[in-house]
Amino acid sequence: MILEERVLQHPQQASRVRLVVYEKPAGLSRVEGMPDDAGYLVTEEWWGAGKVVKTLGFYSDRGAALERLAARAKELERQRYRAVVAPAA
């Protein structure tokens, strides 16, 4: 389940970054090396010519996962990335 999501885009590059915190229940991991405990997975997806997904960390604490997402968003903003505003429905 997605707990929080932020999408950022660079004003002069054709790249978009999606930062996501997933809440993961215990016992569902089928990925080698991935924790099988309940917790929060923080990822960074880069969209451009292709798609690249990076894991920013796995946290047992919700607050720590949200802090990691916020810290990465600030890093990207220092590189001129800006939040993408969803169109009004």
Side-chain angles (χ1 to χ4, degrees):
M1 173 174 84
I2 293 177
L3 185 62
E4 184 167 335
E5 173 182 18
R6 295 188 193 179
V7 179
L8 298 106
Q9 186 166 353
H10 195 278
Q12 297 173 332
Q13 299 175 9
S15 64
R16 192 176 265 213
V17 182
R18 179 177 177 239
L19 302 172
V20 184
V21 175
Y22 295 96
E23 185 173 7
K24 185 184 126 353
L28 295 181
S29 181
R30 289 176 262 170
V31 177
E32 183 71 30
M34 193 65 181
D36 205 27
D37 302 329
Y40 302 90
L41 177 65
V42 184
T43 64
E44 173 177 284
E45 300 173 8
W46 286 82
W47 293 79
K51 177 180 173 185
V52 176
V53 179
K54 300 177 187 178
T55 300
L56 298 178
F58 183 81
Y59 301 87
S60 58
D61 178 64
R62 176 182 177 157
L66 293 172
E67 285 176 18
R68 178 64 181 116
L69 181 135
R72 182 59 181 143
K74 285 186 187 286
E75 290 171 5
L76 290 167
E77 288 168 358
R78 285 193 295 270
Q79 298 172 33
R80 300 185 58 210
Y81 282 82
R82 297 293 173 248
V84 173
V85 179

